[in-house]
Each structure stands twice: as C-alpha cells, then as structure tokens.
Amino acid sequence: MTAPDSPTGGPPPRDLPPTSIWAVPGMLALAVVSFAGFAGYAALLPVAPLWAVHGGADSAGAGLVNFVLLGATVATQFAVPALIRRVGWTLTLTLALVLLGVPAVLHVLTDELGTILLLSAVRGVGFGILTVAASAAAVLLVDPARRGAAVGAYSLALAAPNVLLMPVGGWIAEAWGFWIVFVLSGVSLLGIPATVLLARHLPERATGDPQHPEVADAPAGAATYLAVLSPTLVLLAITLAGGALITFAPQMVSVAWLATAGLFVFGLVSTVLRWRVGALADRLGSGRLAWVFVLVAVAGLLAVAWLTQQEVGLDGLLPWLLGCALLGAAYGGLQTLTMVSAFEAAGPRRVGAASAVWNAGFDAGTGLGAVLVGTVAVQHGFGTGMAISAGLVLLTLPLALRARR
C-alpha cells in the first residue's frame, strides 16, 4: 500500500524497516532453500571420499572426489546470472536442488570411483548454481541499508547445517551405514517448494535491482570484476587458511577427539560471526571492520602453527581450542564482510556478477588451502604450512585497511 503525501506537500514518509530481518518477505523461504541445499552438501562432503575408499580407491582417488566437486562448482558459478535471465528464479533454484539431491541418493548404488566422481561433478554443478543464486537473492530481497543483515541471515541458514552435519557424517556412515548419509543428503529435494515462494519476491529474470534508474542486470564487464577483486582476494586468503584447518585438523593432533572439538569450535564461532557481523556492518560499514578480522586470523593461525609443531595433545587443549576459535571468528566475519563489500563495489546492476566472483573465490580458496598446506606439510610439517597461511592472510591487510575509506 502506498503511503499518502504529507500534509505539507513534501514526499511521503518512508516506511520503517521491519524489526527483524526474518520479517522481510521471502527471507524465510530463502532460509529454507539454503538450509536444505547446504544440508545435502555438508552431510556428504566428508563421506563421499570415505565411500570411494570403501570401494577400493587409494588416498589419491579419495582426494579427487571433493576436488572434482569444487572444480565443477567454480566452473558453473559464472554462468548462473545468465541462467537466471534465461529461465527465471524458480527453475534455476529447483535445478540446483535436484542436481544436489538426486546424485547424493544415487551413491547408494555403487562405490566405484569413476561413478562417484561423475556424481560429484553433477553435485558440483548444483552447488555452484545454489551458491550464486541464493546469495544474490539475499541482497535483492532487502533495501541496500539492510544488505549486511540479509547476508548475515542467509549465512546463518547455510552455515547451520555445516556445523550440525559435517562433523558427524563420517561417524554416522561408519557406525550405522553409508546409506543413511546418502538418504539424508537427499534432503536438498525438500527445499523445492520454497523456491516458488522465494521467486515471488525477486525480479522475474534478473539478478540486478529492477528499481535502479539504469538498465537492470546488464552483462558484467572487466570493470565489475576489478571492482570486486579486492574483497575477493581477502576472502580467498581466509578461506585458504580455513580450508587447510578443515582438511588437516585430524593430522595436526595426537588425540583424535581433539580434532573434532577444534573443528566444532571453529564451525560454531564462524557461524555466529557470519550471522551477527552483518547487522554491525550495516551500522559501521563493512570496510571499517575487515582489517580487525585479518589480524585475528593471523593470531589464530600462528597459534595453531606453533601448537602443531609440537603435536597437540591433551595438555594443549585450551590453546588449541582458542586458536581454532580465533580462526573461526575471522573465517566467519570476513565471509560476511567481503560479501557485503563485493555487492557494494559491484553496484545494484551487477548483483549476479558479484555473487559469482565471491563464491568462486570462496571455493577456490578452500581447494587451494588443502593443496598448498598439504604439499608444504610433506616436507616441512603442518606447522610450517599454517605459518605460511598466516603470512598469506597478512598480505591482504593493506587491502583491508584501504577498504576503511
């Protein structure tokens, strides 16, 4: 309903923003789509490589499973804005959930490595579509003044299944059976009805703001990609470090449950920070906060590197958890801050392009972290690998400081 003109003849008063970001039309539907899609992704991420080993693959073959998944994800992401322009939001999001859910369930048919790699590639395409489309939808649902809060809410919906399901997937598979995880990963399909509800509140075939005075959703050029390069480099560095911890934590400690405890703290703290820092960015500006989290990340990585050199045992429990918590805080905070910065830099006409670049940076950083730290660790140990990660994160400090302006 349109507000009437004011008695003085001035412009009509602006509607006050809703008290909660969840009251924004379409936000709850986005949360359902994101939670369902990421639940299917997170449950299978640690289990698919184990399934390949169950079928006789060696460690190199098992490592290919998630490499293929993330490779297909990155290869897909830059095509998503064009896909939305062609078929619309409902079909795009539905396709993402189908490509995530159906191949997950099909794992039950065989543990042969070639088939698992094929299914991983298909799931990677679905995941690439979901990540770009869902993050773009988050900022298109709200006024730019609430962009940070929307990104935070979206981040909570996708991070929660990572915290709840990723640490226990392997345990469920080995204790109760792989088939349970495969069926559980099919939960992505349950989010399909919510795609219809979400699409009602989005531009029909665009990932740009249709209310912007210029042409909405014009194809992105080199200037757009250069504009979002700075926050993406900060993101790539922190996800490289986080990806290394997620991949190698079990090999950094002498007691197995310490890895689980550390990753749980890492995931919990990162989830809370991804959620809460968004509204703070709306009030203070995303650029004013990023440099703080860069320094927090360096502190956490150096703590983990120092502890890992000494092979963490029970006597190092509290320092280990503190190091994981510091890295988790930076990992979560910088994800939200760099996403908000990327959307701000790209502008309202380039939401889809900014989403594609940011998500590609996230997945590329995660994959590079495992490769880089793993390669260094072969000759010099994980402590050296994590120290190098700290140095790479520190190199992004000038970019984060420049963003304060």
Side-chain angles (χ1 to χ4, degrees):
M1 181 174 179
T2 304
D5 290 341
S6 65
T8 60
R14 294 188 64 183
D15 293 336
L16 292 176
T19 56
S20 170
I21 194 67
W22 300 109
V24 173
M27 188 59 68
L28 284 177
L30 174 62
V32 172
V33 171
S34 301
F35 186 93
F38 277 83
Y41 164 81
L44 200 53
L45 191 66
V47 173
L50 290 178
W51 186 234
V53 171
H54 181 274
D58 58 15
S59 58
L64 280 175
V65 174
N66 286 340
F67 178 81
V68 169
L69 172 74
L70 291 175
T73 297
V74 174
T76 301
Q77 285 166 331
F78 289 95
V80 176
L83 179 64
I84 293 172
R85 285 196 298 268
R86 184 172 183 84
V87 303
W89 286 93
T90 301
L91 287 179
T92 297
L93 289 166
T94 297
L95 178 63
L97 296 178
V98 169
L99 293 180
L100 276 168
V102 172
V105 176
L106 291 178
H107 277 78
V108 75
L109 299 178
T110 179
D111 57 7
E112 193 269 326
L113 178 61
T115 303
I116 293 174
L117 293 177
L118 177 61
L119 294 174
S120 295
V122 176
R123 290 176 60 241
V125 173
F127 190 60
I129 296 172
L130 176 67
T131 53
V132 173
S135 55
V139 299
L140 289 172
L141 289 173
V142 297
D143 184 272
R146 305 201 75 195
R147 185 185 287 127
V151 169
Y154 159 71
S155 297
L156 176 64
L158 67 87
N162 287 340
V163 174
L164 296 173
L165 296 176
M166 196 177 296
V168 301
W171 174 76
I172 292 175
E174 295 188 354
W176 294 347
F178 283 90
W179 70 270
I180 296 177
V181 181
F182 301 149
V183 172
L184 181 63
S185 299
V187 72
S188 298
L189 299 172
L190 299 181
I192 291 175
T195 65
V196 179
L197 300 176
L198 173 59
R200 293 176 181 173
H201 304 286
L202 295 169
E204 184 178 356
R205 293 179 185 271
T207 54
D209 182 357
Q211 304 303 319
H212 195 264
E214 299 181 65
V215 179
D217 204 36
T224 300
Y225 295 120
L226 288 174
V228 301
L229 179 61
S230 180
T232 303
L233 288 175
V234 177
L235 171 75
L236 190 145
I238 189 62
T239 53
L240 183 152
L245 181 70
I246 293 169
T247 302
F248 297 114
Q251 301 175 55
M252 295 178 182
V253 297
S254 59
V255 182
W257 64 264
L258 283 175
T260 301
L263 289 177
F264 177 78
V265 169
F266 171 85
L268 180 63
V269 173
S270 66
T271 297
V272 173
L273 264 294
R274 283 194 75 173
W275 172 34
R276 299 306 302 171
V277 82
L280 191 61
D282 286 336
R283 294 196 297 270
L284 302 179
S286 60
R288 295 184 180 180
L289 299 171
W291 69 274
V292 177
F293 286 104
V294 168
L295 294 179
V296 170
V298 172
L301 284 164
L302 290 178
V304 170
W306 179 75
L307 290 165
T308 301
Q309 290 281 35
Q310 305 173 50
E311 196 167 314
V312 185
L314 290 177
D315 56 338
L317 172 61
L318 292 180
W320 166 252
L321 294 181
L322 177 60
C324 290
L326 289 173
L327 183 55
Y331 186 76
L334 285 173
Q335 284 181 54
T336 293
L337 293 173
T338 54
M339 181 181 285
V340 173
S341 295
F343 286 128
E344 289 172 348
R349 300 171 60 201
R350 302 288 189 273
V351 170
S355 179
V357 173
W358 186 93
N359 280 285
F362 179 93
D363 294 317
T366 302
L368 286 173
V371 173
L372 173 64
V373 174
T375 302
V376 171
V378 171
Q379 295 293 329
H380 306 287
F382 287 110
T384 302
M386 297 306 283
I388 291 174
S389 298
L392 293 174
V393 173
L394 187 60
L395 287 176
T396 67
L397 182 60
L399 298 176
L401 289 171
R402 189 177 68 179
R404 292 184 302 170
R405 301 193 298 268

